[in-house]
Amino acid sequence: MTGIEATGEFVTGALMAGAIERTSGERHEHSEAHALCLNCGTALVGDYCHRCGQPEHIHRSLSAIWHDLAHGVFHFEGQVWNTLPMLVWRPGDLTRRFIHGERARFVSPMALFLFSVFLMFALFSAIGAHFEVPENKPPTEAAQAIARAQMPRAKAELARLIAARAAATTPEAKEALTQKIEKAREDINGLNEITVWKPGRDTNLKTGWPRLDAGLRHANENPNLTLYKIQSSAYKYSWALIPLSVPFLWLLYAWRPQYKLYDHAVFVTYSLSFMSLMVIVLTLLGTVGVSSNVIAPAAMIIPPLHIYRQLRGAYGTRPFRAILRTIALIVFCGMTLLAFLAMLLALGVLG
């Protein structure tokens, strides 16, 4: 993906996220007064209709298209700068304040999640981060001829090593010869792969489900297409991580009736947004040459620390209990990712 395409993804993500954000109510001093809302006909008492929310002032010019584009991106961006510092340093306070009603000041969790996912996949596409299976090319005729010529010598050497091991009198000698025999067998298997080349990749897995067997066969014949489908599904169905995660968090506070499923969903969605943004930052650091000795520990330490701080602030959990719940959530996160990967694999094979 080119830089223009990546920018397009960024703008699309901002517009999509901004589209589900409620406006915080900008005044339009130059607006024309309308006695009735042009959308629903309700009598107006301010800049916005109190029934449907449409602004009293409407645009009707070609420049309005660009105004809406800029407003959608930069109005959302303004809320982002109110939200990001708290998401990074005080995620629990952000979660609690949003749940308790402070909505206009902050980006909603779903909008931020959509924006971060768009941005993350745009970055991956821009830097060419995707998975591919190496192409299974046939060996050349010259390579096959060399392998056939070496095969008798390799088999003779294997037979000699087996006979020598049988005649060995000490355990040390037998062990050394056993290791050489294993190496000789590996060499013979490698020569066999060259002399008896088979296109594709062998799979004898039969499930008894015709559709699944057909999908596995197609995946074996074209693994890169299957990987492409899986990566596309990860982009399209990333939202599924939210309903997969919420039940696990509910289990940790099931005996606390003051916390509703909505509260847990806000917690999970903000947490996933942070993790996506963290992946973006660490990926960018990797592309500019920061050592993996720095990136890998950060990727291991930051997520549990962030979860701990969010639990402490959002639920008022005491330190020791927050540590225990953090450990439990990390285990649950692994289970959630396994379920999500299983879903992606099924979509890639059966889709």
Side-chain angles (χ1 to χ4, degrees):
M1 179 182 287
T2 64
I4 294 177
E5 290 173 322
T7 302
E9 287 282 359
F10 172 82
V11 173
T12 301
L15 288 174
M16 187 173 180
I20 66 174
E21 283 293 285
R22 294 181 179 179
T23 178
S24 56
E26 300 86 348
R27 288 189 58 87
H28 301 279
E29 300 297 340
H30 59 283
S31 62
E32 299 176 1
H34 297 291
L36 300 176
C37 173
L38 297 179
N39 182 58
C40 67
T42 301
L44 294 173
V45 293
D47 292 332
Y48 290 82
C49 175
H50 63 276
R51 182 177 183 184
C52 69
Q54 175 167 293
E56 174 264 342
H57 175 76
I58 61 171
H59 299 279
R60 194 176 177 181
S61 64
L62 184 61
S63 63
I65 300 296
W66 299 106
H67 174 274
D68 291 340
L69 174 65
H71 182 271
V73 174
F74 293 111
H75 171 71
F76 175 73
E77 183 183 1
Q79 290 180 316
V80 165
W81 293 120
N82 290 332
T83 307
L84 283 183
M86 292 197 67
L87 180 66
V88 174
W89 300 112
R90 298 166 61 193
D93 290 346
L94 171 64
T95 303
R96 187 185 67 253
R97 289 171 65 176
F98 186 89
I99 290 171
H100 291 171
E102 295 185 41
R103 308 292 170 85
R105 182 179 304 176
F106 304 117
V107 180
S108 71
M110 182 56 70
L112 187 60
F113 175 74
L114 290 173
F115 176 72
S116 61
V117 168
F118 263 94
L119 190 59
M120 182 173 65
F121 281 94
L123 174 63
F124 289 166
S125 298
I127 65 176
H130 58 276
F131 298 104
E132 283 188 354
V133 176
E135 187 177 352
N136 192 17
K137 295 182 178 179
T140 63
E141 292 184 2
Q144 287 182 319
I146 293 173
R148 282 193 293 268
Q150 291 178 345
M151 184 65 76
R153 230 174 314 156
K155 290 181 176 179
E157 176 64 12
L158 176 60
R160 186 191 70 78
L161 290 171
I162 293 175
R165 185 177 63 178
T169 57
T170 63
E172 294 79 5
K174 286 182 180 290
E175 178 63 25
L177 288 167
T178 297
Q179 293 179 5
K180 291 181 180 180
I181 287 171
E182 292 300 321
K183 178 63 170 60
R185 284 174 175 163
E186 291 177 3
D187 293 342
I188 291 174
N189 289 335
L191 293 173
N192 275 326
E193 290 179 1
I194 297 174
T195 56
V196 188
W197 179 82
K198 295 180 180 179
R201 292 162 178 82
D202 293 331
T203 177
N204 297 317
L205 180 62
K206 299 293 182 183
T207 65
W209 181 9
R211 184 181 177 188
L212 179 57
D213 290 341
L216 291 172
R217 184 172 62 254
H218 293 318
N220 178 61
E221 294 171 354
N222 196 340
N224 283 325
L225 177 59
T226 303
L227 281 176
Y228 174 78
K229 290 180 180 179
I230 291 174
Q231 292 173 78
S232 298
S233 296
Y235 175 58
K236 296 175 184 176
Y237 296 100
S238 56
W239 55 266
L241 288 168
I242 299 171
L244 287 173
S245 303
V246 167
F248 292 118
L249 185 58
W250 174 83
L251 284 174
L252 298 180
Y253 293 94
W255 60 90
R256 304 281 292 275
Q258 67 269 35
Y259 300 125
K260 311 299 182 184
L261 284 176
Y262 176 83
D263 304 347
H264 303 320
V266 170
F267 181 103
V268 165
T269 311
Y270 270 140
S271 182
L272 289 172
S273 300
F274 172 81
M275 300 306 169
S276 299
L277 294 172
M278 181 195 70
V279 169
I280 291 170
V281 172
L282 294 181
T283 302
L284 288 173
L285 291 176
T287 59
V288 299
V290 175
S291 172
S292 59
N293 294 330
V294 175
I295 295 176
M300 295 292 292
I301 295 171
I302 293 175
L305 181 60
H306 189 269
I307 291 173
Y308 169 81
R309 290 177 59 83
Q310 192 173 5
L311 285 172
R312 291 272 291 133
Y315 298 106
T317 308
R318 294 178 180 177
F320 180 70
R321 293 181 179 180
I323 292 173
L324 294 179
R325 285 183 169 90
T326 298
I327 295 172
L329 273 181
I330 292 172
V331 175
F332 291 155
C333 285
M335 297 168 63
T336 300
L337 285 176
L338 287 176
F340 184 65
L341 291 174
M343 183 189 76
L344 294 181
L345 184 60
L347 290 171
V349 172
L350 299 177

